[in-house]
Amino acid sequence: MPGPARVARGCFVTATDTGVGKTIVAAAICAGLRAAGVRVAASKPVVTGLDEPDGDSPADHVLLARCTGQAPADVTPVTFGPAVSPHLAAAWAGTELDPPALLAHAALAADAADVLVAEGVGGLLVPLTTSYSVRDHAVALGLPVVVAARPGLGTISHTLLTVQSARAAGLEVRAVVLTPWPPTPSPMEADNAATIADGCGVPVWTLPHLAAITPQTLAAAAAAWPLQDWVA
Ligand SMILES: Nc1ncnc2c1ncn2[C@@H]1O[C@H](COP(=O)(O)OP(=O)(O)OP(=O)(O)O)[C@@H](O)[C@H]1O
Ligand SMILES: [Mg+2]
């Protein structure tokens, strides 16, 4: 296990699953902080799935870089084509991810900024290597956690499990963000938000569906969030 590479301020954005909204939440945090005049850097240890583009959506490190002003390669040092877990993508490429190198890359990004916003890969227990998980990476960075979660059926257990898993590793969870939050939430969705907040004692916030995802629309959405509390 690599030693800690604790960065001064920031947050680690995880989610209950892959494809939930980590990138959009992390990008909104970056855009919101930057719009407030904060020097912010983003970091994501590895991006997989470049062979399977999501329509016109940019890859994670590309969108994050647009919101911070970094180059995409300064956000993410390693990318793979197949849309599989990082440990498997690396194995298929005949290599293995190097946790100390991933931490050093994140620390370098943090050095050039006041705040580091890190995005995980999938959920917390996704293996980056067979002995180093996304959760281990969050612990090594020493950042508090923001959890992106779905608004609908199934989200209570997935979110509480994620918060429990984060806390079991000593991570502090600052916020849950339900995304995309509908303009008129159903009674179940409204109850999900309240039940998650009661169940884990973490404030639950929401992100409305954004028709256009740009640094401007993301910053405007993030204006509703207490960003300074999340990255303090
Ligand atoms: N508030 C929102 N407005 C618009 N689109 C959203 C919103 N929340 C989630 N999405 C969409 O859901 C999809 C998944 O979101 P995102 O890429 O942020 O997930 P992720 O958790 O980062 O996925 P991965 O595990 O691949 O990193 C994207 O197409 C994204 O645009
Ligand atoms: Mg993502």
Side-chain angles (χ1 to χ4, degrees), residues 6-11 30 33-34 37-43 67-70 74-75 105-118 143 231:
R6 290 177 188 279
V7 297
R9 290 175 69 210
C11 63
C30 290
L33 289 169
R34 196 170 190 222
V38 178
R39 291 188 318 150
V40 57
S43 173
C67 295
T68 62
Q70 293 164 280
D74 292 336
V75 174
H105 190 271
L108 197 63
D111 278 349
D114 300 319
V115 169
L116 182 72
V117 177
L143 293 172
V231 302

Side-chain angles (χ1 to χ4, degrees), residues 58-80:
D60 291 8
H61 56 316
V62 173
L63 178 61
L64 292 168
R66 269 183 210 160
C67 295
T68 62
Q70 293 164 280
D74 292 336
V75 174
T76 297
V78 188
T79 63
F80 295 110

Side-chain angles (χ1 to χ4, degrees), residues 78 80 86-87 89-99 101-102 128-132:
V78 188
F80 295 110
H87 79 288
W92 285 353
T95 183
E96 197 176 319
L97 290 168
D98 176 8
L102 298 177
L128 297 177
T129 75
T130 50
S131 59
Y132 183 75

Side-chain angles (χ1 to χ4, degrees), residues 23 44 60 119:
T23 302
K44 170 154 178 147
D60 291 8
E119 181 189 342

Side-chain angles (χ1 to χ4, degrees), residues 14-15 17-26 44 48 54 57-58 60 63 119-123 148 178-181 207-213:
T14 188
D17 195 2
T18 186
V20 169
K22 288 182 301 295
T23 302
I24 197 161
V25 169
K44 170 154 178 147
T48 63
D54 175 15
S57 301
D60 291 8
L63 178 61
E119 181 189 342
V121 186
L178 299 179
T179 182
W181 189 247
L207 178 63
H209 181 265
L210 301 178
I213 296 174

